Amino acid sequence: MELTVLDQNNDAAAAAAGGCSTGSCGTTDDQMSHLPDSIREKVENHPCYSEEAHHYFARMHVAVAPACNIQCHYCNRKYDCSNESRPGVVSELLTPDQAVMKTKAVAANIPQMTVLGIAGPGDPLANPERTFETFRRLSEEAPDIKLCVSTNGLALPESVDELAKHNIDHVTITINTVDPDIGAQIYPWIYWNNRRIRGRRGAEILIEQQQKGLQMLVDRGILVKVNSVMIPGVNDQHLKEVSRIVKEKGAFLHNVMPLISEPEHGTFYGLMGQRGPEPEELQDLQDECAGDMNMMRHCRQCRADAVGLLGEDRGEEFTIDKIEQMNIDYDAAMQTRKVVHEGIMEELHEKQEKKRRLAAVSVSANDATPQANTRPALMAVATSGGGLINQHFGHATEFLIYEASPAGVRFISHRKVDQYCIGNDSCGEKESALAGSIRALKGCEAVLCSKIGYEPWSLLEEAGIVPNGEHAMEPIEEAVLAVYQEMAAEGKLEEPQPEAAVSQTASA
Amino acid sequence: MSLAIVDSCVNCWACYDVCPSDAIYQSSPHFLIDTKKCTECEGDYAHPQCASICPIEQAILDASGMPVNPYGSLTGIPPELLEDAMQEIQSR
């Protein structure tokens, strides 16, 4: 069985291959490696695009854009909250002036910060003066920072010229549907040409504007990523078509995210009891879309004012009060940043080289054990970064999920365990953090970590998940493959997945 | 003749940008409308702009004190159909 290594793809090959289908993605955990070289160079230091890079490079969002021109049923316009971590939520709004000051302060203090995004809490392009003033000044005063923006797309066509003037790395458009009837179930109204337009007609205009804007950006050579929120029973099946269409139009990456709809967030969906997808439903959809499109698998769905590495938020260190006290010499900071960025890129390239060598080793190891027809198995990994199994089970706030199969090992997704609960029926306040962790691992057959306590050990075994601390400090893919081979050797892969570990929706 | 913003306002700024008369100003605990400047958009637009973009039901009152966007008008679900809609959504 040969591993498919897609690292060397050129544009033509990537187009011909049409992305990678389920189970044939090779050993990479890195979505960037599926991209053509020209795009990869543009995004390789972007923490949001690479499970690898996000341990090294940081990002920040500045909340300069409060107003919005549409209503989405998954959004609550009361965004002012410091205790929630999800898109659209911020603690303090900034003026463009404050945003520039904050960006420079963060860039000087966290030299790994490469990317500045404007993502709300409203729609950035519905706040054109505040958004573009921020971009214009940062392009001039901090030219070493990449800029990006996300939008619902309604005001995108009229904004493309202005976007093209600045140092905009890429634009993210949230496209949840291309069908106005589905759109009417997601967007109750839009504000368009000085009127509120409701229902299907509003959704139809929004969809037209999104598609037009996408085309215009691609024509200008600006990278476009598409975000979609997976809403069970509304657009879940339809997102495969969305994926195909946006790929055809030239979007370089599709990020299908789960609906977050806790009632306490006060969104329409939350209050009405619309459920979010189970992790396996999300994964199945991402796999199905992957036949057509480069999929993004490690989005952390961060706040609209997040600061720091993906999955962390150092916003508290950079409140307006605090940055006003800081004295930033940005020219000096830029020199330090350059050295830091070069160092990180060198380290990352070395790691990629090492991974390539490992992939070659895996191919020969692979020949020896699992049969070509052994079933795939999911495993969870506790890691604090660096591509190693190096985190205690009890310290993990999220797990990386890998799938091992005869085709190799591939990164599937991450699952959070303590920031918000991932289910909607059986998980209430009484549920302990441990039970929450075990729920998050549903569908996995093993969990690899550096260490694990006695209590979780037995609870995991009861749940049909084999705890494994034998591969501490080893590279993730190598360890996952080794465990898979052990499972094959023990004959476990000839049996169906143990009952307790099988979820309601997983077909494996 | 003036509209008014009341305390269900969530301070989202949307109305501030679209008012043709610069009648809306930031205040605490929420935005307010300067009654001397507000024209209800007469002569400028067919509908008052603040009430056409406001995302919160009941947050803007017309000159007679009635909500321009009453309950159910922005979700698209009239209050009497809320139970049915909820059941349908929960069966997804």
Side-chain angles (χ1 to χ4, degrees):
Chain A
M1 188 72 205
E2 222 178 49
L3 282 175
T4 321
V5 178
L6 296 165
D7 285 336
Q8 306 304 325
N9 267 353
N10 57 30
D11 292 31
C20 62
S21 59
T22 308
S24 65
C25 296
T27 58
T28 179
D29 69 342
D30 188 340
Q31 277 64 64
M32 286 199 309
S33 57
H34 303 194
L35 298 172
D37 288 345
S38 58
I39 294 180
R40 200 170 66 217
E41 274 164 30
K42 267 183 157 175
V43 297
E44 68 181 347
N45 67 349
H46 195 308
C48 301
Y49 293 143
S50 161
E51 186 54 44
E52 192 69 56
H54 97 257
H55 293 296
Y56 299 90
F57 290 113
R59 54 69 178 111
M60 69 179 288
H61 289 161
V62 286
V64 295
C68 196
N69 48 10
I70 70 173
Q71 177 69 52
C72 305
H73 273 328
Y74 47 77
C75 178
N76 175 4
R77 301 292 303 132
K78 190 168 165 33
Y79 47 73
D80 179 13
C81 181
S82 54
N83 298 320
E84 291 171 24
S85 181
R86 62 190 164 91
V89 170
V90 301
S91 295
E92 61 184 350
L93 282 177
L94 306 179
T95 63
D97 202 45
Q98 289 169 325
V100 170
M101 195 165 61
K102 179 173 178 177
T103 306
K104 288 171 156 178
V106 172
N109 284 288
I110 309 180
Q112 307 92 309
M113 194 276 275
T114 49
V115 175
L116 177 281
I118 300 183
D123 183 73
L125 304 182
N127 301 256
E129 284 172 24
R130 292 183 278 266
T131 295
F132 290 127
E133 167 74 2
T134 308
F135 281 152
R136 188 184 56 73
R137 284 196 46 199
L138 285 173
S139 298
E140 283 167 23
E141 297 171 36
D144 63 336
I145 296 176
K146 292 185 172 200
L147 306 176
C148 52
V149 63
S150 64
T151 177
N152 62 42
L154 184 62
L156 183 54
E158 72 206 51
S159 309
V160 169
D161 280 346
E162 185 69 29
L163 286 168
K165 281 187 209 159
H166 306 295
N167 204 4
I168 308 276
D169 194 62
H170 76 272
V171 174
T172 297
I173 315 174
T174 299
I175 300 181
N176 294 317
T177 178
V178 291
D179 176 340
D181 289 315
I182 294 174
Q185 297 178 64
I186 304 171
Y187 310 104
W189 57 265
I190 67 168
Y191 173 81
W192 175 249
N193 287 343
N194 302 100
R195 287 169 191 265
R196 194 189 310 265
I197 299 180
R198 295 162 211 268
R200 191 181 189 281
R201 178 65 190 135
E204 190 173 41
I205 294 167
L206 176 64
I207 291 165
E208 279 166 18
Q209 292 291 101
Q210 290 170 337
Q211 295 297 322
K212 189 174 164 194
L214 166 57
Q215 190 67 59
M216 289 170 76
L217 288 170
V218 170
D219 291 346
R220 301 282 184 107
I222 299 174
L223 292 182
V224 181
K225 164 171 141 271
V226 169
N227 277 356
S228 299
V229 180
M230 179 185 183
I231 311 161
V234 177
N235 70 347
D236 44 353
Q237 290 310 307
H238 173 65
L239 284 178
K240 284 177 269 181
E241 189 187 351
V242 171
S243 210
R244 184 179 57 74
I245 288 172
V246 300
K247 192 215 172 177
E248 262 170 30
K249 288 229 166 119
F252 84 103
L253 194 62
H254 190 196
N255 179 21
V256 176
M257 303 173 294
L259 172 69
I260 300 174
S261 60
E262 271 54 56
E264 60 270 28
H265 296 158
T267 63
F268 174 84
Y269 279 151
L271 296 173
M272 296 293 281
Q274 165 71 51
R275 71 181 182 96
E278 294 289 328
E280 314 83 68
E281 291 176 296
L282 177 69
Q283 183 191 319
D284 287 348
L285 176 63
Q286 288 176 332
D287 285 347
E288 286 178 80
C289 292
D292 289 315
M293 185 75 193
N294 291 309
M295 299 300 292
M296 181 160 164
R297 304 263 190 178
H298 68 279
C299 172
R300 266 33 172 207
Q301 294 180 284
C302 54
R303 290 165 58 97
D305 60 358
V307 172
L309 295 172
L310 220 57
E312 75 168 14
D313 191 353
R314 295 176 59 181
E316 278 301 302
E317 297 166 45
F318 300 97
T319 56
I320 288 300
D321 295 354
K322 289 175 185 157
I323 57 178
E324 275 171 351
Q325 309 301 318
M326 296 177 189
N327 208 351
I328 304 296
D329 175 351
Y330 200 76
D331 285 337
M334 268 207 285
Q335 290 183 10
T336 313
R337 288 167 51 75
K338 188 161 180 279
V339 175
V340 170
H341 294 179
E342 284 169 357
I344 295 174
M345 284 317 299
E346 203 173 312
E347 198 180 329
L348 270 176
H349 287 149
E350 265 170 33
K351 273 202 155 75
Q352 281 159 6
E353 263 314 300
K354 194 176 166 206
K355 216 176 239 182
R356 238 163 255 159
R357 286 200 303 273
L358 274 175
V361 172
S362 310
V363 173
S364 51
N366 222 9
D367 286 339
T369 37
Q371 300 297 308
N373 57 358
T374 48
R375 65 177 175 82
L378 290 184
M379 299 184 209
V381 170
T383 175
S384 55
L388 301 176
I389 293 168
N390 56 3
Q391 198 172 38
H392 192 294
F393 179 83
H395 296 167
T397 56
E398 64 174 19
F399 291 93
L400 302 188
I401 310 297
Y402 284 79
E403 183 196 71
S405 74
V409 175
R410 66 182 185 125
F411 174 67
I412 297 282
S413 66
H414 67 96
R415 293 189 194 163
K416 290 186 192 178
V417 291
D418 69 352
Q419 292 185 325
Y420 62 89
C421 74
I422 54 159
N424 68 334
D425 39 20
S426 65
C427 83
E429 282 173 348
K430 287 181 201 142
E431 185 176 55
S432 71
L434 178 55
S437 295
I438 290 172
R439 261 188 66 82
L441 299 181
K442 204 165 83 171
C444 296
E445 296 185 55
V447 56
L448 283 65
C449 50
S450 65
K451 272 187 174 176
I452 181 164
Y454 176 76
E455 193 194 353
W457 184 286
S458 45
L459 283 174
L460 280 166
E461 283 195 325
E462 274 171 39
I465 303 166
V466 181
N468 188 320
E470 290 164 25
H471 296 275
M473 300 314 290
E474 288 178 22
I476 294 171
E477 280 96 343
E478 229 178 337
V480 168
L481 186 67
V483 173
Y484 187 67
Q485 287 167 343
E486 283 163 27
M487 287 172 70
E490 290 164 12
K492 284 187 183 169
L493 299 174
E494 284 145 41
E495 305 155 16
Q497 191 174 355
E499 201 50 43
V502 178
S503 65
Q504 293 135 357
T505 48
S507 53
Chain B
M1 236 184 43
S2 168
L3 300 176
I5 296 174
V6 296
D7 55 9
S8 44
C9 167
V10 298
N11 295 302
C12 79
W13 289 75
C15 60
Y16 178 88
D17 290 340
V18 298
C19 176
S21 315
D22 284 329
I24 298 172
Y25 59 98
Q26 202 181 0
S27 183
S28 183
H30 56 77
F31 281 76
L32 291 172
I33 297 178
D34 183 336
T35 51
K36 291 192 197 79
K37 287 186 177 172
C38 176
T39 62
E40 298 187 23
C41 292
E42 212 135 287
D44 287 307
Y45 299 105
H47 305 280
Q49 292 302 290
C50 56
S52 297
I53 200 169
C54 177
I56 306 295
E57 292 171 351
Q58 310 272 114
I60 295 184
L61 307 183
D62 65 18
S64 66
M66 295 299 287
V68 186
N69 299 306
Y71 288 122
S73 66
L74 299 187
T75 58
I77 299 170
E80 64 275 15
L81 296 179
L82 200 63
E83 276 299 314
D84 292 349
M86 209 179 267
Q87 275 190 6
E88 194 231 301
I89 286 172
Q90 287 176 8
S91 69
R92 285 170 184 166

